[in-house]
Amino acid sequence: MLTGDAVRWGAAVDRAYDCDAYTVDRSAPAAVVLPSTEQEVQAVVRWCVASRVPFTPRGAGTGLSGGAMPALGGVVISTKRLNRILEVDLPNQRLHAEAGVTNSALSKAVAHAGLHFAPDPSSQTVSTLGGNIAENSGGPHTLKYGVTAPHILTVRVVSPNGEMQEFGRRVVGGPGPAWERLVVGSEGLLGVVVSAWVHLTPVPKAVQTVLVALPTIRAASDAVASVIASGIVPAALEMMDRNILMALKVAFGLEFPADTAALLLLECDGEPKQVEEDFARMLAILKGFAPLELRVASDEAERKSLWTARKKGIGAMGRLAPTIVTHDGVIPPSTLPDMLEFVYAVAAREGIGVANLFHAGDGNLHPCFYFDDRDPKQVESVVRAGEEIMRKCLELGGSLTGEHGIGVEKVGLMHAMFGPEDMALQRRVKELFNPDTLCNPCKLIPDQKGCVEHMVRWRGVAT
Amino acid sequence: MSQHSLTDLTSHCIRCGFCLEDCPTFKITGEEHESPRGRIYLVRSAEEGKLDWDEARPHLDRCLGCRACETACPSGVEYGAILELARERLGAKPATKMLLSGLTDSRKARLQFQLGAMMPGKRMPALLSKWVSGETPEANIPRVGTVREWPTVDESALPPIRGEVALLMGCVMQVLYPDVHEATRRLLRRVGYRVHDVLGGCCGALHAHSGMTKEAGDRLTDLKQQLPPGMPLIVNSAGCGSTLKESDLKEQTLDASEFLLANGLVEVIRSGREQRVRLTYHDACHLAHGQGVRSQPRELLRAIPGIEFVELEEADTCCGSAGIYNIQQPLLARRLLERKWEFVQQSGAQIVATGNPGCHAWIAQRAEEAGQQVQVLHTLQAIEMACSGMLA
């Protein structure tokens, strides 16, 4: 079925694959396979189904909700060797790539033609197309360009029973519902994505970026609300709080005025004239909030350095503590100041450090707890604080996730967001595709048999 | 070398995975346990008693030690230090000790390489290679180097002497590439520096990378005694430079390209004759990732009149040589070399310049296998050849 170096097992391999970038829960696989073709993926899935062995797809393992963790053991199917760009169709602005190609590699392949793949998660230099599809990943530019879903034309999947299936169409239009959207964001429950046709977006002709330092969280949140209310659609509108600044200072030597409580990173892009107009208006609005500093990127190099700060900000948190858990919830943007106060209060009560860096423009929060996972008490505090924050998001009319997915992290909270009828329908859809529940068990849809007792075990392993 | 414990060092990794695509062994295998994040996790697990050190060993053995992950890491994880401490914990294999004792003693190395030239296939005997690596050999035994016939420099055109610098002769370097040393001396003289050769031998870099930290320390101590006090120490081998810059000699150690650029070599190069040739540059890992020296060699090379400088795709990805890696892991090293070679061919360059003896010999071997259409030179050789009007 697969040749020697495509099947790996043993104590070190099991350890290496027992979690992704969400480290609170861990569970080791029995083996890892690295197929190089979709036929090999199909063969592995068929073998798993015939042998009643659970299997879990995995891209780069940068997920933040445990989506690639083999919850019930079994086989991890890595897509990292499905790494070819199969066809580039420049006139029609689309390309066909395998699941293991990184997000950045897609854009790089068409950069010469002035195109790019618009979804831009912070992990984009490493995270894969398959992973982006599974999690319906977003990024800073989601505010204007949308999350992964609108950029996906078709998805080719090995179904949980081992069939090859293709969802969607390569052109705009019907017939029927946009079936590919069922797969996008399904967190690997409905099959293993092996390739996809993606839509490419022209690289904007002009870009203007500004970094603003503000004295209070309240001022920053109000500035965000004013920009959005003005009718300008920024390409990105990001917010970072004081604790992120600490990490950025150590990591990249970035200095900000001493009284900075929050930073905003705003960007306008598009046609030069429009960008100039919008940007001038935006700066005028921002100046009304008495900024401590207003740093406009004068060239591409400076723009890149401002973005490095944002994109590597979470990664830089390792400078403050050994472990981080980055939460992901969505709230209506107008509730931002109250929500942030709540986050700080919960963290203070639990005695855990928290830093916030997030997509303020669309209300997608990322409270990032930093702590030491070798102390079981701290792990408990973080899990408890996370749940509380998620419940608050729901209370404010928001959602459990903006882009990191539910995974194993928040599966227990799904009931808080969906009523029993909704949950029952979601479960039926899952069972239709994945009747044996062997494909990526225990994720996203709660109450799968056998998962509750395992949950205790995962949490135990972490500490 | 870091003073911190393995537990402290590994705890800075928060598993974001931003290092993955910068790791050569992850790029070609796609396997988590062959990535920096995976290896750090294995080391941490072993240190915490959750994994046998022996289980972690093969994956640490397969690490090139190129430290590209350090460049990529937003959390500032000191991977190089983790690797050296973990390898110290594991203990060097007898084969590694044998290899290093031969290589880092100039007399022994010279003898071995001379014998090697008489060997059929010019490679290590297959049986010996099997013992060292479990695989058949890929790296040719290098040839003992000679100094080319450089044209005499017109003394009257040279600036007056303004100072003296020490030049590290090294162990392997002085046996394989005495010509690079000669080129370095000539370039230093062109900017007004007289050169004091430091013959002390080995700086211990190869030992440190293999986790033989005590041996590495001893060699460094010996070397220090050879140094004339207060003189800048100029190094033209990336691996040595990187180790010296992490020792208490860090204040005085400089890569030759850094020193020459800072001392006005660009003007000298610009005044030379036109050299119509297409050239590309391969970043030695211990220059780019170990020392952060990237722009200096490029600025010097770009200053050559008439040169067509093209950037190499994945220029700062390891070529697989990595000290003694191509002897210890022949197959992976060969795959990395082939990847490097593909990009060299794509660049269309006639000359590849680089700043480390390991990369130099390994890429030159591939050029030779391809029939010598591409010439591999040390950066300083290329520059001195340009200054002497003999590059194109």
Side-chain angles (χ1 to χ4, degrees):
Chain A
M1 180 163 70
L2 275 91
T3 51
D5 81 331
V7 185
R8 299 291 193 204
W9 69 90
V13 174
D14 295 353
R15 187 75 182 164
Y17 282 89
D18 72 4
C19 64
D20 49 23
Y22 178 68
T23 58
V24 170
D25 296 327
R26 298 178 204 187
S27 169
V32 177
V33 296
L34 297 116
S36 299
T37 62
E38 62 176 42
Q39 290 78 15
E40 287 182 353
V41 175
Q42 191 175 24
V44 174
V45 169
R46 286 189 167 163
W47 180 87
C48 288
V49 172
S51 316
R52 314 286 308 156
V53 171
F55 55 97
T56 302
R58 174 178 169 120
T62 52
L64 292 162
S65 59
M69 178 192 88
L72 299 183
V75 174
V76 164
I77 302 178
S78 166
T79 59
K80 274 312 298 172
R81 291 187 190 167
L82 294 167
N83 55 7
R84 284 159 295 245
I85 292 177
L86 301 168
E87 196 178 334
V88 179
D89 179 3
L90 290 178
N92 296 306
Q93 302 190 334
R94 58 190 182 176
L95 72 72
H96 186 204
E98 290 186 320
V101 177
T102 63
N103 174 303
S104 293
L106 298 176
S107 292
K108 199 177 162 205
V110 293
H112 65 277
L115 297 169
H116 75 304
F117 180 57
D120 64 336
S122 292
S123 59
Q124 70 189 125
T125 55
V126 288
S127 65
T128 62
L129 174 60
N132 289 176
I133 290 173
E135 302 297 323
N136 194 11
S137 304
H141 291 85
T142 295
L143 185 58
K144 180 171 176 182
Y145 295 97
V147 288
T148 299
H151 303 277
I152 300 299
L153 299 170
T154 74
V155 195
R156 203 165 157 76
V157 168
V158 174
S159 75
N161 57 8
E163 305 295 326
M164 291 300 317
Q165 287 165 343
E166 191 155 336
F167 297 84
R169 59 270 163 286
R170 289 175 206 178
V171 290
V172 180
W179 291 110
E180 77 285 356
R181 297 243 175 157
L182 193 60
V183 179
V184 180
S186 67
E187 301 195 15
L189 262 62
L190 307 186
V192 184
V193 175
V194 290
S195 69
W197 275 94
V198 309
H199 173 67
L200 301 167
T201 308
V203 176
K205 289 203 182 81
V207 187
Q208 287 273 25
T209 309
V210 62
L211 191 68
V212 195
L214 291 152
T216 61
I217 292 279
R218 178 67 64 171
S221 317
D222 288 346
V224 170
S226 297
V227 170
I228 297 289
S230 75
I232 300 170
V233 182
L237 207 179
E238 302 286 303
M239 188 157 149
M240 293 165 258
D241 75 0
R242 197 192 301 271
N243 288 341
I244 289 285
L245 305 192
M246 266 162 48
L248 290 179
K249 190 176 168 183
V250 189
F252 307 110
L254 292 173
E255 295 281 354
F256 304 98
D259 300 330
T260 308
L263 279 183
L264 293 179
L265 181 65
L266 300 97
E267 188 162 279
C268 290
D269 72 8
E271 291 299 319
K273 204 166 165 296
Q274 186 69 46
V275 170
E276 206 177 304
E277 250 170 55
D278 285 355
F279 196 66
R281 264 177 70 208
M282 205 165 75
L283 288 183
I285 296 171
L286 293 168
K287 280 176 186 154
F289 290 89
L292 301 168
E293 193 187 346
L294 219 133
R295 211 181 284 177
V296 177
S298 56
D299 56 20
E300 184 58 20
E302 198 176 347
R303 190 180 89 86
K304 277 208 172 115
S305 87
L306 297 183
W307 273 109
T308 300
R310 165 61 187 88
K311 293 226 167 181
K312 308 255 162 155
I314 288 282
M317 293 302 293
R319 311 222 179 213
L320 303 185
T323 319
I324 61 161
V325 166
T326 309
H327 286 290
D328 165 49
V330 190
I331 48 161
S334 64
T335 61
L336 201 56
D338 297 337
M339 185 65 207
L340 283 176
E341 266 163 36
F342 183 81
V343 169
Y344 291 128
V346 170
R349 197 197 62 221
E350 295 287 350
I352 299 274
V354 70
N356 287 280
L357 125 161
F358 59 98
H359 316 305
D362 40 23
N364 189 181
L365 285 185
H366 290 319
C368 170
F369 289 108
Y370 51 98
F371 61 106
D372 190 338
D373 71 352
R374 289 166 292 191
D375 174 4
K377 282 228 166 61
Q378 292 189 37
V379 179
E380 268 171 42
S381 293
V382 166
V383 171
R384 193 164 51 228
E387 285 194 11
E388 218 170 311
I389 288 168
M390 287 308 129
R391 286 185 194 277
K392 181 75 176 178
C393 287
L394 295 180
E395 196 186 303
L396 293 171
S399 153
L400 286 177
T401 174
E403 55 190 14
H404 297 175
I406 295 295
V408 286
E409 182 199 12
K410 289 182 283 198
V411 68
L413 290 167
M414 286 289 276
H415 291 295
M417 182 160 175
F418 298 100
E421 294 84 3
D422 294 341
M423 245 10 293
L425 180 64
Q426 291 185 29
R427 202 169 297 120
R428 286 221 302 280
V429 173
K430 175 185 165 183
E431 280 161 10
L432 183 68
F433 281 81
N434 191 357
D436 307 315
T437 61
L438 291 172
C439 184
N440 206 6
C442 310
K443 314 284 171 66
L444 184 59
I445 314 276
D447 305 328
Q448 180 178 331
K449 259 194 228 153
C451 290
V452 177
E453 50 269 41
H454 279 280
M455 193 116 172
V456 181
R457 182 172 62 86
W458 308 329
R459 297 260 145 104
V461 175
T463 54
Chain B
M1 185 88 185
S2 175
Q3 299 305 309
H4 301 287
S5 73
L6 265 182
T7 313
D8 281 348
L9 288 166
T10 53
S11 73
H12 287 287
C13 174
I14 51 158
R15 291 187 56 85
C16 68
F18 287 10
C19 54
L20 296 174
E21 291 293 328
D22 284 86
C23 173
T25 55
F26 180 78
K27 251 194 290 210
I28 60 173
T29 64
E31 297 170 31
E32 179 74 19
H33 43 275
E34 306 301 351
S35 79
R37 177 176 68 176
R39 288 180 179 125
I40 292 168
Y41 190 32
L42 297 182
V43 168
R44 179 178 166 174
S45 302
E47 189 67 9
E48 289 173 356
K50 290 173 183 157
L51 183 75
D52 276 351
W53 273 106
D54 277 342
E55 298 282 352
R57 182 194 280 274
H59 310 297
L60 295 170
D61 283 350
R62 273 177 223 131
C63 173
L64 295 143
C66 73
R67 298 168 64 181
C69 49
E70 287 190 28
T71 301
C73 178
S75 274
V77 174
E78 295 176 55
Y79 182 84
I82 293 174
L83 183 69
E84 287 178 10
L85 284 175
R87 284 183 172 165
E88 183 184 27
R89 195 65 51 93
L90 283 164
K93 291 182 195 164
T96 306
K97 289 185 181 161
M98 178 212 74
L99 278 172
L100 289 185
S101 85
L103 268 179
T104 59
D105 177 323
S106 307
R107 274 171 311 173
K108 281 196 213 164
R110 189 180 301 276
L111 189 68
Q112 275 181 24
F113 297 158
Q114 281 163 346
L115 283 173
M118 293 185 267
M119 208 80 87
K122 297 198 184 100
R123 290 191 182 167
M124 183 188 268
L127 264 176
L128 191 57
S129 176
K130 287 263 181 201
W131 177 59
V132 172
S133 68
E135 296 166 5
T136 48
E138 287 290 340
N140 292 346
I141 295 175
R143 278 186 292 268
V144 172
T146 52
V147 178
R148 80 187 67 214
E149 277 185 35
W150 293 97
T152 335
V153 183
D154 176 12
E155 289 285 335
S156 65
L158 292 175
I161 297 288
R162 55 170 151 160
E164 203 174 354
V165 292
L167 177 63
L168 182 76
M169 293 289 110
C171 48
V172 184
M173 201 62 200
Q174 62 172 302
V175 179
L176 296 186
Y177 296 111
D179 192 57
V180 173
H181 285 330
E182 184 55 22
T184 312
R185 282 188 204 101
R186 287 167 65 99
L187 288 171
L188 284 164
R189 181 61 194 86
R190 284 182 192 277
V191 293
Y193 283 88
R194 197 184 333 215
V195 174
H196 174 97
D197 287 355
V198 179
L199 289 162
C202 174
C203 64
L206 286 171
H207 296 84
H209 301 157
S210 296
M212 296 162 70
T213 40
K214 190 189 166 298
E215 290 84 344
D218 291 349
R219 278 159 200 261
L220 194 60
T221 311
D222 287 350
L223 178 66
K224 272 184 219 162
Q225 284 163 3
Q226 314 282 325
L227 292 183
M231 229 182 253
L233 175 60
I234 308 299
V235 183
N236 54 20
S237 152
C240 310
S242 155
T243 294
L244 290 168
K245 281 185 179 179
E246 283 162 22
S247 75
D248 47 7
L249 292 172
K250 59 171 165 278
E251 300 300 332
Q252 64 192 98
T253 305
L254 285 157
D255 184 70
S257 66
E258 287 178 284
F259 185 84
L260 289 165
L261 183 72
N263 282 283
L265 186 65
V266 165
E267 277 67 49
V268 179
I269 299 172
R270 286 216 180 106
S271 66
R273 248 196 302 138
E274 203 167 77
Q275 307 287 317
R276 293 221 159 270
V277 68
R278 184 185 274 220
L279 179 146
T280 192
Y281 175 74
H282 160 71
D283 287 278
C285 297
H286 282 87
L287 260 188
H289 307 301
Q291 302 180 48
V293 173
R294 295 162 178 276
S295 61
Q296 297 90 332
R298 287 179 168 84
E299 273 182 60
L300 294 175
L301 290 165
R302 279 178 190 279
I304 298 173
I307 197 100
E308 191 189 346
F309 183 91
V310 285
E311 275 295 342
L312 185 64
E313 184 75 22
E314 295 192 359
D316 65 353
T317 298
C318 184
C319 64
S321 163
I324 51 171
Y325 189 89
N326 57 356
I327 309 172
Q328 294 174 312
Q329 301 284 342
L331 291 180
L332 278 173
R334 171 58 82 167
R335 284 177 68 186
L336 288 167
L337 179 61
E338 292 305 320
R339 191 177 170 108
K340 182 62 67 182
W341 188 248
E342 211 178 295
F343 291 131
V344 168
Q345 285 184 307
Q346 262 174 36
S347 77
Q350 296 145 281
I351 296 173
V352 182
T354 190
N356 189 57
C359 325
H360 190 161
W362 189 225
I363 302 173
Q365 174 182 329
R366 188 62 185 85
E368 198 177 315
E369 287 165 5
Q372 295 291 27
Q373 303 104 328
V374 177
Q375 195 184 0
V376 182
L377 293 170
H378 190 285
T379 310
L380 302 177
Q381 276 177 312
I383 292 167
E384 176 53 31
M385 284 168 81
C387 290
S388 300
M390 54 196 283
L391 186 63

